[in-house]
Amino acid sequence: YHNFHVRQFRQLAGESRSNMSTALFAHSVVVTLSLLQVSPSFGSTSSSSCSLPFCLNNTGNDGVVLFNFSGVPSSNDCCSRCTTLSGCTTFVYHEQGHHAGGNCKLLKSLGRTHYSEGALLCTSTKPNPPSPPPPPVTPPPIGPINPPLGYQPNIVLIMTDDQDVELGGLEPMPKLQKLIGDAGVSMKHWYVNTPVCCPSRTETLSGRYHHNIRDRNGPEWNRFNCGDEAVGKPHLCGCMRVNASADFEAHTYATYLQAAGYHTGYFGKYLNPPAMDPYCHNAGLRVPGWDEFLGMCTTAYYNIPWVTSQGLLNHTGNSPAEYSTAIVGNATVAFIRKAAASYHASRIPFFVSAATRAPHAPQTPAPWYAHAFPTVRNRRTPAYDNVGSGHVAWVQDQAPLSAAEAASYDKQFADRWRTLLSVDDLVEAVINELAAANVLNDTFVLYTSDHGYHLGHLRLSPGKQHFYEFDARVPMLLRGPGLPPGSSAPLVAGNVDLAPSFLWLAGVGVPDRMDGRPVLAPLLTGHGTHHGNARTATAAPMSASWRTSYLVEHSGLHSWTTHGRINDCPNNTYRSLRIINASAHTNLLVAELTSTEDFSFATPYGHELYDLDRDPYQLTNLWDNTSTAIRFELLERLQQEWQCKGTTCP
């Protein structure tokens, strides 16, 4: 299949697979589509310590280390090794990268304080029981429906995973630029509230900031090691420290749109485990708000269990036609084809989201794109392999990249671009289907990512989770009726504004619980206010009412390392503001950092301040050279926005 190239979505007549049932795409028959068509061929590990409390120290000071194994799949495997080794009294499992195994240190004694498990406490191999199902969801009240366009338009949201802007993440996607960017609006300053997978997705779905949906109630909400536990493991941290409970599920934009008469569909990555856990046990439990659903129970490119609209599991294998981006794209196209018919027949509007795994690690390209971009390499921006000056200690102390790391990051960069070629084909297929179904002129199409990415920039290991531009700023391109083609918008906006925007288009008043604002209101009318009356002709002028800053915040998860190079740790708990005010010539990034157990920021340990007009790569921290009065003003503004809720949010 390496000679095949994705060009379009088309049906492969007669193809079937025994491991796919009629429930796979939640239709009465299997939709077996593929992306295959012939095309021409395409032309030393370093360690770093984090001296602050609760960050793992990887320099061998963990205690008396008996053995240090790398590439161990899980903490249970680490535990098993400890129980069979004479003299091993405890172990520490350091996750290595993301879904890539980890380092297992078998210890005779523990010399430092960080998360560990005693060998006698983890010998059970019995699978954990399924999580209890949430209570039934009651559709939220929506009040009178008054769409600003005079009708309820269709809406398509395409979301990638880990796609950056700062490092050229849009460059391998010419179809996206032509079909959405040139045909609509590109947002210059679009950010995510929390630059890591599950929190960002819950914020997008709910229209709420991290500080308003953070899980503070469980007995282990601030435990040291909180990550991406697999389906079937105990719910230790919710959804990466977010409360993805029944209350959240009952108030996503999908439940409101469904109540407003929309036919809704979602295909691809929804939330990370363990937030998907209740739905992934083949028990018939449906994800609220979605008429048609095909969600990943593991986030991968092949061999995926999917939960369907009926709450049942279907598994796809590892053939080229079962590449996950193809599955997501084909299901989305099939949904649009059917929903468009209902739109013409009965004026039933539709909403559909296509959420790809790409370009997330392990960034596996489709076989027909495996050899694309043979000479491309990681972006050597001024921040690449450079920590600048004045960053917090655990960033500042990162060691220079080795030649092996640089080569690895180059390969990852090229593979990320290769995976995005399939997403570019998905975009083309969606637009073509909308046009063929004669609904393109009645449909808003939005393209974005859940957060950005970095690869050795500021010497951080590959990942996200930081307030710097490469992680927090993401693409947002959108087209639709009334949006000026080939334009850009300077509004400071982000993922919490999507849910209010969808509801505004549908003619539903934005509920007070949502923190975001309907950004499509000023884009379509030149006006913008917050809730309820944002759709009226009496809205205030955009220049007087739209925000000039966006809140970015994160609760550090665990010591997220690759070969000893730190990317995230509990001291990477922060709140920050991107302040962009062209009229005041202000382009700032300010951040305050603390530890996970101090989410009230009573005892912050560090501050960072950057002027992005003069320092676009955030290399020189200005905090210590800034006057007390300006510091106070910035922190007061940061505190106010970090405490906002609903209608009090700017």
Side-chain angles (χ1 to χ4, degrees), residues 61 242 257 303 363 459 543 572 583 621 646:
N61 296 323
V242 168
L257 290 175
N303 298 309
Q363 60 274 330
R459 293 181 180 164
S543 60
N572 191 35
S583 62
N621 183 6

Side-chain angles (χ1 to χ4, degrees), residues 38 298 373 405 559:
V38 176
T298 60
F373 306 119
E405 285 176 309
S559 280

Side-chain angles (χ1 to χ4, degrees), residues 551-566:
L551 181 69
V552 180
E553 54 187 325
H554 173 57
S555 302
L557 298 178
H558 58 102
S559 280
W560 201 305
T561 65
T562 302
H563 302 298
R565 185 175 298 281
I566 296 173

Side-chain angles (χ1 to χ4, degrees), residues 249-532:
E249 293 280 25
H251 296 92
T252 66
Y253 62 71
T255 60
Y256 288 98
L257 290 175
Q258 197 177 55
Y262 274 71
H263 185 61
T264 59
Y266 196 103
F267 307 103
K269 181 178 178 180
Y270 187 63
L271 299 175
N272 294 54
M276 287 298 295
D277 185 86
Y279 306 106
C280 293
H281 292 278
N282 214 36
L285 186 65
R286 301 182 62 172
V287 180
W290 301 105
D291 296 303
E292 301 187 37
F293 190 84
L294 189 70
M296 296 177 172
C297 289
T298 60
T299 49
Y301 289 87
Y302 292 103
N303 298 309
I304 302 169
W306 305 79
V307 61
T308 69
S309 306
Q310 293 79 26
L312 303 177
L313 290 184
N314 278 273
H315 296 260
T316 52
N318 58 2
S319 72
E322 294 168 297
Y323 184 64
S324 65
T325 304
I327 296 290
V328 171
N330 292 328
T332 304
V333 167
F335 174 93
I336 291 172
R337 187 173 301 147
K338 186 175 74 170
S342 297
Y343 180 74
H344 287 305
S346 307
R347 302 304 294 178
I348 299 174
F350 63 82
F351 177 99
V352 63
S353 182
T356 69
R357 168 70 166 179
H360 193 292
Q363 60 274 330
T364 305
W368 46 90
Y369 280 136
H371 303 291
F373 306 119
T375 61
V376 75
R377 66 176 192 161
N378 190 12
R379 286 297 160 86
R380 266 68 170 172
T381 71
Y384 177 76
D385 196 18
N386 184 6
V387 292
S389 62
H391 296 87
V392 292
W394 64 270
V395 174
Q396 196 68 42
D397 293 343
Q398 299 271 25
L401 301 183
S402 68
E405 285 176 309
S408 172
Y409 299 169
D410 285 342
K411 184 181 186 306
Q412 290 180 55
F413 184 90
D415 280 339
R416 283 167 56 81
W417 274 28
R418 291 167 184 140
T419 67
L420 288 170
L421 291 174
S422 294
V423 180
D424 209 28
D425 290 310
L426 184 154
V427 170
E428 181 183 48
V430 165
I431 298 298
N432 286 347
E433 186 62 37
L434 291 169
N438 197 28
V439 292
L440 182 59
N441 292 335
D442 293 340
T443 303
F444 286 86
V445 184
L446 301 91
Y447 182 96
T448 191
S449 177
D450 58 357
H451 46 73
Y453 206 68
H454 58 263
L455 283 156
H457 301 85
L458 295 182
R459 293 181 180 164
L460 296 165
S461 64
K464 47 266 186 176
Q465 299 158 307
H466 293 271
F467 48 79
Y468 305 114
E469 288 285 282
F470 45 57
D471 287 356
R473 182 169 171 249
V474 296
M476 172 50 73
L477 295 82
L478 61 161
R479 63 174 290 170
L483 293 175
S487 61
S488 64
L491 297 176
V492 182
N495 62 329
V496 298
D497 298 320
L498 285 175
S501 295
F502 299 153
L503 270 56
W504 181 80
L505 284 174
V508 177
V510 180
D512 288 345
R513 68 184 280 126
M514 288 189 177
D515 304 322
R517 304 176 64 177
V519 69
L520 280 164
L523 291 178
L524 287 169
T525 66
H527 299 80
T529 62
H530 197 173
H531 297 134

